Amino acid sequence: ASPSEKQKRYDRQLRLWGEHGQVCMEECTVCLINGTGCGAEALKNLVLPGIGSFTIVDGANVSEADLGNNFFVEQSSLGTSRAACVTRLLQELNEHVTGSYVAEDISQVLLSRPDFLHSFGLVITTQLPTRELLQVANSCAARRIPLIAVHTYGLLGYLRMVLYEHPVIETHPDHAMNDLRVLAPPAELSRLIEDKYSAIESLPNAEYAHIPYLVLLIRAVAQWSAANGGAQPTSYKQKKEVRAILGSYRRPGLQADQNIDEAVAAVNTALSLPTPDSAVAKLLGAARARLSELASELHSAGAAGEEPGGSRQQLVFWLMAAGVG
């Protein structure tokens, strides 16, 4: 299918952290305390990739010094709220990000609304005095909200991060191999293809364009195997021949053949036999070596109603592992 507007807009970063990462980014709410030059630049680098929303808390007005070190203030804004000016110009960078501001010092905000920071997913402070920084840190700690404190002195500065446990459960491997079982499709899938797609040549264009690409891929592999004595296409040359078969499925005049494009694109990765990594292979090898011993233990446990050497569930697991591959 054609890429959506969002996919076009965020194409490069989607390649880095994927759709799920982008969803997390779009659900993020950020609070910037003090719209200084450093703070505005930090927030700019979050607005461009598409965070959900941001709020700037800053009781200062735009000064002459700001005009010399902050790209997100204007000469015409001199003497007006710095929070309002920075918010307006940052929103121009990405219309899909919601921006707001509070033209007060953070100490005043927390005095009147102690839970003000509790709705944010990230808090960034810049040029904040120690007393106010401690107030912010205590408020964030109460809800385990990540805090980044930045202070700059000309070309020098420091950054302090107050972060809590952050487990990573999605590693996004560089070369993920989707196991589509093309070279050994399940029996149910093979029957479905035989029953429903045995004569795709006779299907009208509308139905032909909606044939799942996996079906086309499995048919092309089966056609290649039939012509090569039942062998499986695994080398580059053989996969190239499968691509040619898929190319022959195109119908003249049919523009909506993205399913064929998807099948062709999947040839490199889908026509590979999945193999376990070294750690898993070692585990499975150890289980196969103990197959007879495990079967005997499980039989004895069932007969005596006991659990020798471990629980029954553990024995079942090891037997399943021994049977893999």
Side-chain angles (χ1 to χ4, degrees), residues 171-185:
T171 56
H172 296 295
D174 293 334
H175 304 288
M177 303 290 283
N178 295 321
D179 183 9
L180 300 177
R181 303 287 176 175
V182 174
L183 297 183

Side-chain angles (χ1 to χ4, degrees), residues 32 34-45 69-71 124-127 150-152 158-159:
L32 171 66
N34 291 341
T36 62
C38 180
E41 288 296 319
L43 196 51
K44 175 203 74 176
N45 292 329
N69 64 19
N70 194 333
F71 288 109
I124 303 173
T125 71
T126 62
Q127 309 303 103
V150 183
H151 209 105
T152 58
Y158 70 82
L159 180 149

Side-chain angles (χ1 to χ4, degrees), residues 24-25 27-33 39 42-43 45-47 51 53-57 116-125 136 140 143-150 159-164:
C24 292
M25 176 71 75
E27 292 176 349
C28 183
T29 55
V30 179
C31 179
L32 171 66
I33 300 174
L43 196 51
N45 292 329
L46 296 174
V47 169
I51 56 173
S53 63
F54 69 86
T55 298
I56 298 177
V57 180
F116 174 80
L117 297 174
H118 294 176
S119 62
F120 296 100
L122 172 67
V123 176
I124 303 173
T125 71
V136 172
C140 290
R143 291 298 180 92
R144 300 177 66 84
I145 299 170
L147 170 65
I148 299 178
V150 183
L159 180 149
R160 299 176 66 181
M161 293 185 291
V162 182
L163 304 176
Y164 303 93

